Amino acid sequence: MLSQAENDRLCRVGPGTPMGAVFRRFWLPICTSDRVTAGGAPRAERLLGENFVVFRTGEGKVGVLDELCPHRGASLALGRVEDCGIRCIYHGWKFATDGAVLEVMNNPAGKRLPSLQTPSFPSIEAGGVVWTYLGPKEHQPAAPHFAFMDFPEARRVLLRVDGNYNWVQSLEGGLDSSHVGILHSNAARPGWNGTSDKKVGALDDTQPVLEVEDTEFGYHYAALRQGGPGKPGNVRITPFIMPSGRIIAGGALQGAENHTIVFEIPIDDEHTATYTVRYGNSSLSLESRLRETGFDDPEVYSQEDQRLLLTRANYNRQNRAIMDKSWSGLNGIAFEDTVIATSMGPIQDRTKEHLIASDIAVARLRRRLLDSAARVERGEDPVGAHVDTHLISSIDAPAPPDGAHWRTLLPNHRIVRAAA
Ligand code: FES
Ligand SMILES: [Fe+2]
C-alpha cells in the first residue's frame, strides 16, 4: 500500500516531477520508424506529458522539435516537410532538425532572421524505433543498445500499443509472474477446466516462489515453480530494466527461442505507449503476433493509429458466454493484460491495495524507481543510467542441476545487492 503522495511520486512524469526527472535521464522511444517517411507527414507525439513534432526530412534526417512554432504557437504537426527541415504553414518559418531558424517568409527584406532556436531533441533510430532524449545535455547517455537491435529485421517484430492507463500499472502487470498461470490460464494451463491433460511447461503451479536481486540495470527476479512428481522444477527469470523495460523469456508461451522486450513509455500520466519487440531465431511475422496478442480484432486495436480502442466504459470484447472454456472470456494474452490495466482506471489508487508475498517484484519495482527519484533529487544518477544493456536477457528453463543458484543461468547480469 502506498500513501497518496507516494503514489503520485511514483506515477507522475510531467515536467518538474521527481519521476519525470528519472525518465528524462534515459533514451526513450517516441515513435516507430515506419511512421515517419522521408518528406512525409509530420507526427504530433506526446511524451512524458509534453508535446513534440517528429518528422523525417526529404534528405532522410529525423527531427524531434517542440510541437508548437516559436513564432506564434501554431502546430508544426501541420507543417510542410522539406528537404532539410520543416516549415510552419502559418507564416512560413522553416526549422532545421536541430531547431535552427532557416528561413522566415514574412520577414521584411533585408532584416536578419530571429536569432532563436526552437527547442530540439536528439534522436537515434535503432531496432525500428525512433529514440529521443529529453534530459540535460551533460547527462546524455550513450546510444541505446539492446540485444534485439542486433537481430535482422526478419527475426524481430515490433508492435506499439497505446492505452488509457498510467505506465506503472502495465509495468507492474509485466513484473507479476504469479498472474501468468491464472489470468492467462487458457494459454498457460490449457487443462485448467478439467477438459484436457495438456500441460504447458510448469505453469500449472500457480504459486511460484519468487526471488528478487538488484542488478546494475534495475533488478531481475526468478519465479521458481515445482515440476510435479519426478519432473524438474522450472525457473523463469525476468529482468526489470530502468526506467520501465523488461524482457519476457521464451518458453512454452512464445516459443523457446524467442524473447520479448517491452518498454512502457508514458505518453502522459494517464496514457501509455507500450512498445514490444519479439525477437529470436525463428522468423516472425506481424500477423501472427497480432493474432496471438488478440490485437488482430479491429474493434480492439487500430493498426493505423497503433492504439487500443478499449475504455473502462467499454469491455466490449469480454465474452461471458464462453467462460466455461475461456478463463477470462478475453482473446489473447496481451489483450488480457491491457484489459486488466484499463480496468484499474487512469491511475490506480494504491492507497487501497493489499500486497502479499507474491507481489515481491512489484514492491521491489517501486523501491528501485523511488530510490532513483531520490538519487536524482540529490544530484546523483538514477539506477541504471549509463549501463550497457545489450547483455541483459531473460530465460525460461529447467532449474539448474546439482542445486546451482538460478542466477548462474544468466551470468551477464551484474548483481549489486543480494535479495533481502
Ligand atoms: S506561427 Fe509558425 S510561422 Fe508563425
Ligand atoms: Fe500478463
Side-chain angles (χ1 to χ4, degrees):
M1 192 184 296
L2 297 181
S3 68
Q4 188 58 49
E6 288 167 331
N7 201 32
D8 285 342
R9 194 170 159 84
L10 177 69
C11 295
R12 297 193 184 274
V13 292
T17 59
M19 202 58 70
V22 172
F23 268 90
R24 285 168 176 79
R25 297 291 295 277
F26 294 88
W27 286 94
L28 303 173
I30 190 162
C31 69
T32 57
S33 283
D34 62 344
R35 301 296 154 139
V36 277
T37 54
R43 285 182 70 81
E45 289 286 354
R46 199 165 154 74
L47 179 61
L48 306 182
E50 297 187 80
N51 296 324
F52 304 93
V53 61
V54 186
F55 61 98
R56 191 188 301 273
T57 65
E59 290 166 353
K61 221 169 156 199
V62 170
V64 179
L65 305 177
D66 259 4
E67 184 197 339
L68 300 182
C69 178
H71 175 218
R72 282 180 35 218
S75 172
L76 291 173
L78 299 166
R80 301 174 62 88
V81 177
E82 303 186 359
D83 276 354
C84 57
I86 188 168
R87 189 184 296 276
C88 179
I89 57 170
Y90 198 4
H91 311 93
W93 289 32
K94 179 175 170 180
F95 305 94
T97 53
D98 68 357
V101 181
L102 298 175
E103 202 188 317
V104 172
M105 284 173 80
N106 60 344
N107 207 30
K111 294 274 182 219
R112 284 189 28 217
L113 295 184
S115 60
L116 60 84
Q117 286 233 323
T118 200
S120 73
F121 304 87
S123 68
I124 284 175
E125 282 185 85
V129 172
V130 178
W131 304 77
T132 193
Y133 174 75
L134 304 183
K137 271 267 165 301
E138 65 275 21
H139 294 305
Q140 185 175 319
H145 185 192
F146 294 94
F148 81 90
M149 295 171 176
D150 299 333
F151 281 73
E153 237 175 279
R155 292 201 274 126
R156 54 179 156 85
V157 52
L158 165 68
L159 199 57
R160 171 180 172 173
V161 177
D162 292 5
N164 303 316
Y165 36 77
N166 177 263
W167 63 282
V168 182
Q169 52 222 54
S170 45
L171 182 56
E172 290 185 347
L175 295 167
D176 162 26
S177 203
S178 82
H179 85 273
V180 176
I182 302 175
L183 175 65
H184 308 310
S185 286
N186 294 350
R189 299 184 299 134
W192 68 270
N193 58 354
T195 54
S196 143
D197 290 337
K198 192 166 164 225
K199 300 240 189 305
V200 178
L203 292 174
D204 274 271
D205 178 1
T206 59
Q207 295 158 0
V209 173
L210 300 183
E211 293 181 9
V212 189
E213 287 179 339
D214 286 350
T215 60
E216 57 177 355
F217 54 77
Y219 68 70
H220 63 186
Y221 79 99
L224 310 168
R225 289 182 165 88
Q226 302 294 319
K231 291 208 184 134
N234 175 273
V235 184
R236 210 175 144 76
I237 306 177
T238 305
F240 158 61
I241 308 167
M242 282 289 296
S244 62
R246 65 187 186 272
I247 304 178
I248 303 167
L253 293 185
Q254 54 175 343
E257 299 195 312
N258 296 326
H259 299 270
T260 306
I261 191 163
V262 185
F263 302 95
E264 306 290 353
I265 303 302
I267 296 170
D268 54 30
D269 293 343
E270 301 188 353
H271 301 89
T272 300
T274 302
Y275 292 78
T276 62
V277 186
R278 168 78 49 85
Y279 60 103
N281 290 325
S282 38
S283 66
L284 298 159
S285 76
L286 180 63
E287 290 65 36
S288 65
R289 187 82 179 101
L290 287 168
R291 241 190 340 272
E292 171 204 308
T293 51
F295 297 149
D296 56 342
D297 181 341
E299 289 186 36
V300 164
Y301 174 71
S302 160
Q303 288 189 50
E304 170 76 15
D305 299 333
Q306 299 176 301
R307 67 173 293 108
L308 211 56
L309 302 174
L310 178 89
T311 64
R312 254 166 74 78
N314 166 25
Y315 296 134
N316 57 348
R317 309 313 278 179
Q318 187 182 36
N319 183 352
R320 302 202 69 86
I322 59 165
M323 284 176 78
D324 54 337
K325 296 185 206 66
S326 162
W327 172 269
S328 64
L330 300 164
N331 176 29
I333 293 177
F335 185 48
E336 287 171 332
D337 286 330
T338 49
V339 169
I340 293 296
T342 308
S343 74
M344 294 170 171
I347 302 182
Q348 186 199 341
D349 180 356
R350 292 180 178 75
T351 66
K352 295 188 174 143
E353 67 181 6
H354 297 85
L355 300 190
I356 63 168
S358 68
D359 299 308
I360 179 176
V362 168
R364 184 69 65 96
L365 169 72
R366 298 175 187 177
R367 199 193 308 167
R368 292 301 261 165
L369 287 167
L370 291 168
D371 276 358
S372 294
R375 286 191 198 203
V376 174
E377 283 173 331
R378 290 196 301 265
E380 300 166 18
D381 283 341
V383 172
H386 309 293
V387 168
D388 181 357
T389 50
H390 88 282
L391 293 175
I392 307 172
S393 191
S394 57
I395 195 166
D396 181 313
D402 306 326
H405 193 276
W406 54 264
R407 176 198 306 144
T408 59
L409 294 170
L410 290 174
N412 288 322
H413 291 188
R414 295 229 319 255
I415 312 303
V416 295
R417 190 172 70 194

